[in-house]
Amino acid sequence: MYDVVVVGGGPCGATAAEDLARSGYNVALLDREGRIKPCGGAIPPRLMQDFDIGEDQLVAKVNTARMISPTGRHVDIPIENGFVGMVDRKDFDPFLRDRAEHAGATRLTGTYVRIDRDKAAKTRSVIYRDKESGQERALPTKLIIGADGANSRVARDEIPGGDKVPLVFAYHEIIKAPEKNDVYDPVRCDVIYDGAISPDFYGWVFPHGGTTSVGMGTYVQSVNLKEATAALREASGLADCETLRKEGAPIPLKPLRFWDNARDVVVAGDAAGVVAPSSGEGIYYAMICGRHAATACAATLKTGRITDLALARKLFMKEHKTVFRVLGQMQDAYYKSDSRRERFVSLCHDVDVQKLTFEAYMNKKLVKARPMAHLKIGFKNLRHLLGLVRETHV
């Protein structure tokens, strides 16, 4: 009998399993393995501090972000007093799973099938299909954490509204990185706001040391992701680079209203819809979400109160709801058309925008120390949204 079975071994599930195991609980970590999520791989210093991630896990350190408009204008934003770390998910995820196992979690490889409950005995088991044998097996448990990503089967089966999460479809190609040249810099992230690449999101070129992630995302299902990425590679001078991997997956756009079933299941990470609007950042939020899910399960096991499962969402929203709301408003305002995207890049020239944006990114909270800077940005933002200045006004 496990205390908790964690379904899904990405950054969210692995973090939840490790935290619970280190707290002395009997935990099983069930993962399919062999799947690599398409991801730019950016992680802030806050993540490295909060989750004890050493620099040996980084494949690159980025010191500049370049924002590129539909007409090709760009602004380079220096990342002052720090860096953005880059990880490759093919290595980072297994590292987190191994760490959870070393902490005491039981590792299992297979595919989640369903949850069976015996009402009379008041017991439940996670049923999974073992990868090696192909047979169904049961994991008796007290609680379940669903960390099985967007389109989560656990959320679909157990959580109200879990089958109705709006999704962005992301695709990227890992290519062999070229030497530094006029268009590519191994310590710079390029973010491309161009409707020809993505009509409602963005494209990216993120360095990974000897390789580079080139990709895009969109909610519009008629867009051909591979053709859009090919166009992005051509525009970025990367068309002739060797392609090493191609990966695609859905990314949720909005946190679920409920994260638990008020009985024995709580979902977290992508399964809970936790990806930052406008940026699509997910690794940090997945890991902190996994930590909160572990806290909620530990509280429930200790007190016997099923209502404590709701702590996962409460703790997360208390710290990050405002950031998600502001980022969502920004996406709604500026990702609608190339004209708006042009204006967004114009705003990015503002030094206050640059400083406040990256301070918020690095520390994962809104910066309130400079009220005049916020007023100045708000005024410029309003002038752009009302069309009182030209698109290229900086």
Side-chain angles (χ1 to χ4, degrees), residues 94-158:
F95 160 76
L96 294 175
R97 289 193 288 270
D98 288 345
R99 197 165 71 167
E101 184 176 22
H102 292 155
T106 299
R107 285 272 297 276
L108 300 160
T109 304
T111 303
Y112 166 86
V113 177
R114 64 185 182 276
I115 298 171
D116 282 351
R117 295 181 177 88
D118 186 328
K119 292 183 179 180
K122 296 183 179 180
T123 60
R124 83 272 310 143
S125 293
V126 170
I127 308 301
Y128 76 102
R129 191 174 302 281
D130 181 71
K131 183 176 181 179
E132 184 174 349
S133 68
Q135 297 179 343
E136 287 192 1
R137 295 182 179 175
L139 302 172
T141 185
K142 299 173 185 176
L143 298 173
I144 301 103
I145 295 176
D148 49 336
N151 279 332
S152 163
R153 296 184 66 181
V154 176
R156 181 197 65 193
D157 293 346
E158 299 290 335

Side-chain angles (χ1 to χ4, degrees), residues 5 33 64 117 181 199 222 236 259 272 297 301 306 322 335 357 394:
V5 170
E33 293 195 352
T64 304
R117 295 181 177 88
N181 55 49
S222 61
S236 304
W259 290 8
C297 285
L301 291 167
I306 294 301
T322 302
Y335 286 20
T357 297
V394 298

Side-chain angles (χ1 to χ4, degrees), residues 220-256:
V220 182
Q221 296 189 19
S222 61
V223 173
N224 188 308
L225 305 184
K226 293 184 178 181
E227 289 182 2
T229 301
L232 174 57
R233 287 181 61 170
E234 183 70 34
S236 304
L238 301 170
D240 296 331
C241 295
E242 180 185 357
T243 302
L244 304 176
R245 301 197 318 262
K246 298 180 179 181
E247 296 150 2
I251 298 174
L253 283 176
K254 186 177 180 181
L256 292 175

